[in-house]
Amino acid sequence: MIPAIALVLGVALGLVFQPGVPLWLQPYLPIAVVAALDALFGAVRAQLDGIFDDKVFVISFVANVLVAALVVFLGDQLGVGSQLSTGVVVVLGIRIFSNAAAIRRHAFHA
Amino acid sequence: MTSAPGDRATAGRNRSMSLLDELTVNALDPGYQQTVDRRVSGAGTADQPGGRRDHPRRYPRRRRGLLVAGLLVAGLLLATAAAQARSRAPASAQVRSSLAADVAARTRDTDALQSQVAQLRAQVAAARARGLAATRSGTAMAEQVAALEEANGGTPLRGPGLRVTLADATLPTPDPLAATKRPSALPGDAGRIADRDVQDVVNALWAAGAEAISVGGQRLTPQTAIRAAGQAILVDFRPLSPPYDVIALGEQSQLGNRFGDSPTARRFRTYAATYGIGFTIRSERALTVPVGAGPPLRAARPPAPAP
Amino acid sequence: MRRRFDVMPSMPEGDRRRPDRDRRSPEGDRRERPSRARGPLPRRSQLLVGLLCATLGFALAVQVHTTRSTPSLAAARPEDLVSILDDLTARGDRLRAEADSLTATRDRLTAGGQESTAALDEARQRADTLGILAGTVPATGAGIVLTITDPQASVRSDVLLDTMEELRDAGAEAMSVSGVRVVTSTYFLDRDGGVEVDGRLLRPPYVFLVIGDPRTLAAALDIPGGVLDTVRRRPGASAAVEQQPQVDVTALRALVTPRYARPAAAESGSIG
């Protein structure tokens, strides 16, 4: 319950304040958001599987975000930034999808 | 595949698995399962879940030396590749990206300045009203100024009206990688919204009886122009991002009918059908337009009173 | 590692069985987890999870907003970017000038205390400025006279509209077209033998009286592919620009009060 409320609260805060994204953060934020979404879906599924663990979630969330940002950064440095971002988004997208599928099976038994 | 046999050894990591399978199967962070497994196996002996028991191995000194050397080489490789990529990137691309960054930064700076100006305007209006409230002639003056401010886009307004949205045509992009390099791969500029298009729509909306208009969040005043620099559309010198939202306040049905029947709207409907540009008209009951720009006058002054 | 097989999309069975197996987990586990979920006070780690979720939501909203509001300059050429930068500099200058004059006015008004003469003077000045912009008072000053002669009526409303925008862009402060004062809501429509401007049918020649910096205004009209070029390319049409130290814009316009739009609270509405 807390996480759901917190999520809504965060969205609301972002909508109300609409802060500008600092320039150095701009390339990383979108991919970090996708990575964090992946961690979130994983957590929901783990919860439904009955194996959720706060610590694992926190670590996987932070690590996901950091690694995603790092990958984009490295890609930019190596001149393959856009391709690598595409790759990261594809991989995370597939993971989100299959986790969502698992959640769906849990919720609707179908 | 049959249900998992309880034996963990057989279910160990299967290296030959294809990449996609690996992705879907390992979708859940293995960390969750590991903690459970660890807790299950550790429950009998120690009550501490997630204990450090799993990591007794420390690298022997020799191996550690190898590791350090390997990492060093990897780092060197990375740095060289980075330097290479940087020098290989055409100078124009570097200039472009730094210019684009400048534009983004300055857009934000001026936006901040703009909201500061809006605040100042409200403060001045309040101070003026307070200073003039004492006398009847003062109050009349304050009302006159307020009405004039309103006519020049100096106050935010709220009311019913139309929201007209213009968007560039979207073409199917066959290759996502190619698309990231050249997002503007349109045949000619037929599907692109130009400054003339926005001017046209605004013109037609005024003709239809609009009382106040904002384009892309920028209020139109006597001193704001709609122009283009290359393919970017600027309103009051601020580059806008598509889709372009044109908000016009006024009586809903009159505005809707007159604008909908105007040659401009008809032309844009044809464009939408032919080139696939986005063109939508929405009638809404409550819309707002912000304060617009009103820099002080430099050249114009009222004529000297007649002698 | 068993999990991996339980969650294969083809096998919902194993998936559904899984929680049962977990519920049968050893005592150590069972003692700990329910207390975690039902305790009256959330644990620190739960708060951390909440915090992360809030961060994610925040970042999500911010990112969506940024994507929407950042101008898409991916396709812009360097030359265009430079000119956009110039425009943004101009915008900054205009805004700063406005902010400075507003600050001065506010300080003057608040320093005067309850003295209403200062306020009255200020209000009069302000009314003059606003009247010039709104077209309710005549205006005078340096500027240009642009005459578009068009015996064959080949100059249509789009050219006049473009001219007005170009002049505004170049800093025009007061303007009239053949006796019609140009204001915010001025529009141009094609009509037989002429152009309708704000409800009045105008026939060529069209005479723009414009107050502003004469050189800037003239230069803006004269750029390649600009207004003068466009007019000259229309059959039979021609255009002439005269820079003058004094231009009188005497055409007036009655103030129209909005009937449907109402003042809204300023978005950053701290007043006082």
Side-chain angles (χ1 to χ4, degrees):
Chain A
M1 206 55 208
I2 300 178
I5 294 170
L7 191 67
V8 172
L9 189 76
V11 171
L13 279 178
L15 287 177
V16 169
F17 289 106
Q18 308 210 330
V21 182
L23 208 56
W24 56 268
L25 198 63
Q26 270 181 8
Y28 308 116
L29 188 60
I31 214 110
V33 166
V34 175
L37 275 178
D38 170 56
L40 189 71
F41 273 89
V44 172
R45 177 176 164 193
Q47 179 76 53
L48 291 173
D49 281 356
I51 56 171
F52 180 75
D53 185 275
D54 304 343
K55 203 175 108 195
V56 176
F57 171 67
V58 170
I59 292 173
S60 83
F61 186 101
V62 174
N64 254 7
V65 167
L66 288 183
V67 168
L70 185 75
V71 165
V72 176
F73 173 76
L74 275 182
D76 274 344
Q77 296 306 306
L78 297 175
V80 289
S82 55
Q83 290 91 329
L84 212 49
S85 321
T86 310
V88 170
V89 170
V90 167
V91 168
L92 291 178
I94 292 175
R95 271 177 55 144
I96 291 177
F97 250 98
S98 52
N99 276 334
I103 293 169
R104 185 202 65 212
R105 282 196 298 274
H106 264 297
F108 305 111
H109 299 287
Chain B
M1 240 180 282
T2 51
S3 185
D7 194 353
R8 210 181 303 163
T10 53
R13 189 154 292 172
N14 185 352
R15 293 282 168 199
S16 65
M17 218 176 245
S18 80
L19 184 62
L20 270 181
D21 278 351
E22 175 91 18
L23 266 177
T24 38
V25 169
N26 276 341
L28 186 63
D29 199 312
Y32 288 115
Q33 189 56 41
Q34 267 173 19
T35 357
V36 170
D37 288 349
R38 213 178 294 144
R39 208 176 283 140
V40 170
S41 61
T45 50
D47 221 6
Q48 279 291 62
R52 288 265 140 176
R53 297 175 310 104
D54 284 10
H55 306 280
R57 45 191 137 103
R58 293 190 61 197
Y59 290 108
R61 187 158 295 177
R62 179 109 157 284
R63 277 236 203 131
R64 208 190 282 178
L66 269 176
L67 184 70
V68 168
L71 284 177
L72 208 73
V73 171
L76 203 68
L77 222 76
L78 259 175
T80 324
Q84 194 74 28
R86 188 156 294 183
S87 64
R88 214 177 38 215
S92 66
Q94 286 179 27
V95 169
R96 237 197 51 160
S97 71
S98 83
L99 276 176
D102 281 357
V103 166
R106 214 172 288 182
T107 304
R108 254 197 317 282
D109 290 352
T110 49
D111 282 353
L113 211 52
Q114 192 178 27
S115 59
Q116 192 190 326
V117 164
Q119 229 167 325
L120 276 169
R121 274 197 173 207
Q123 288 174 7
V124 167
R128 187 183 295 129
R130 245 182 287 127
L132 294 175
T135 60
R136 188 173 297 166
S137 64
T139 328
M141 193 76 203
E143 271 165 23
Q144 192 197 338
V145 171
L148 282 165
E149 290 272 14
E150 210 168 82
N152 287 320
T155 33
L157 292 179
R158 184 179 178 76
L162 290 190
R163 181 197 295 271
V164 180
T165 309
L166 298 169
D168 294 333
T170 44
L171 286 190
T173 43
D175 178 2
L177 293 187
T180 54
K181 276 178 210 147
R182 282 190 49 207
S184 63
L186 281 172
D189 273 348
R192 187 172 282 282
I193 302 293
D195 55 341
R196 304 256 163 135
D197 299 326
V198 179
Q199 284 175 10
D200 237 17
V201 166
V202 166
N203 190 58
L205 283 168
W206 286 131
E211 295 179 340
I213 295 183
S214 77
V215 178
Q218 302 295 310
R219 175 78 170 274
L220 299 186
T221 75
Q223 291 164 286
T224 47
I226 302 169
R227 301 304 298 162
Q231 290 169 336
I233 294 179
L234 293 96
V235 172
D236 193 26
F237 299 106
R238 187 199 188 279
L240 301 183
S241 56
Y244 308 102
D245 249 3
V246 182
I247 290 177
L249 302 189
E251 205 275 311
Q252 272 172 297
S253 63
Q254 181 205 325
L255 208 53
N257 292 338
R258 285 214 223 157
F259 178 71
D261 293 342
S262 69
T264 304
R266 254 179 279 144
R267 196 153 47 81
F268 274 92
R269 276 194 282 269
T270 316
Y271 286 166
T274 321
Y275 302 112
I277 64 151
F279 177 64
T280 55
I281 308 173
R282 275 222 318 264
S283 190
E284 292 184 27
R285 219 171 293 160
L287 290 163
T288 45
V289 291
V291 181
L297 300 183
R298 293 215 178 89
R301 56 183 187 277
Chain C
M1 290 296 134
R2 272 172 294 192
R3 278 234 52 72
R4 296 206 274 151
F5 291 95
D6 287 347
V7 298
M8 281 300 282
S10 53
M11 308 172 19
E13 293 287 303
D15 222 351
R16 246 178 276 152
R17 256 194 322 238
R18 181 74 220 174
D20 302 336
R21 236 182 292 167
D22 264 350
R23 250 171 257 139
R24 271 185 262 120
S25 56
E27 291 298 304
D29 195 31
R30 203 192 281 180
R31 251 188 286 127
E32 189 166 47
R33 309 193 105 252
S35 70
R36 218 181 254 206
R38 274 190 236 126
L41 283 173
R43 286 174 139 240
R44 210 174 57 189
S45 57
Q46 277 181 323
L47 285 180
L48 201 57
V49 170
L51 188 72
L52 285 180
C53 284
T55 317
L56 169 60
F58 185 70
L60 206 67
V62 169
Q63 178 59 29
V64 168
H65 175 242
T66 311
T67 314
R68 281 208 199 130
S69 67
T70 313
S72 72
L73 299 165
R77 293 170 303 165
E79 310 89 274
D80 298 339
L81 288 174
V82 170
S83 83
I84 293 174
L85 266 184
D86 276 354
D87 284 330
L88 281 170
T89 311
R91 179 176 192 237
D93 290 347
R94 279 157 61 101
L95 285 169
R96 256 184 292 276
E98 196 180 347
D100 288 348
S101 96
L102 283 171
T103 312
T105 309
R106 182 196 59 189
D107 293 349
R108 219 170 334 128
L109 284 175
T110 44
Q114 291 301 323
E115 208 177 333
S116 66
T117 48
L120 209 59
D121 278 353
E122 190 278 332
R124 241 179 239 126
Q125 273 174 29
R126 184 69 188 151
D128 279 345
T129 302
L130 291 170
I132 287 173
L133 289 170
T136 56
V137 297
T140 184
I144 61 161
V145 177
L146 164 69
T147 312
I148 297 175
T149 45
D150 177 30
Q152 298 174 27
S154 57
V155 170
R156 308 311 296 155
S157 63
D158 60 322
V159 178
L160 299 189
L161 176 63
D162 193 43
T163 307
M164 177 184 76
E165 293 289 347
E166 191 72 76
L167 289 168
R168 276 183 182 165
D169 190 56
E173 293 174 354
M175 208 187 315
S176 69
V177 195
S178 302
V180 178
R181 185 72 171 258
V182 173
V183 294
T184 314
S185 61
T186 293
Y187 61 87
F188 299 86
L189 295 175
D190 284 326
R191 291 288 179 255
D192 278 340
V195 171
E196 181 191 326
V197 183
D198 292 354
R200 263 179 62 186
L201 178 66
L202 302 185
R203 293 181 192 282
Y206 306 106
V207 181
F208 281 81
L209 301 177
V210 191
I211 297 176
D213 179 47
R215 286 189 21 218
T216 315
L217 291 170
L221 295 176
D222 208 13
I223 54 167
V227 170
L228 295 188
D229 267 7
T230 312
V231 171
R232 284 170 192 148
R233 238 177 282 131
R234 303 279 159 125
S238 67
V241 177
E242 266 179 82
Q243 301 184 28
Q244 291 187 353
Q246 189 184 339
V247 174
D248 295 312
V249 177
T250 51
L252 294 183
R253 182 64 76 90
L255 194 63
V256 181
T257 29
R259 286 166 57 207
Y260 300 96
R262 294 268 165 272
E267 67 244 81
S268 33
S270 68
I271 291 176

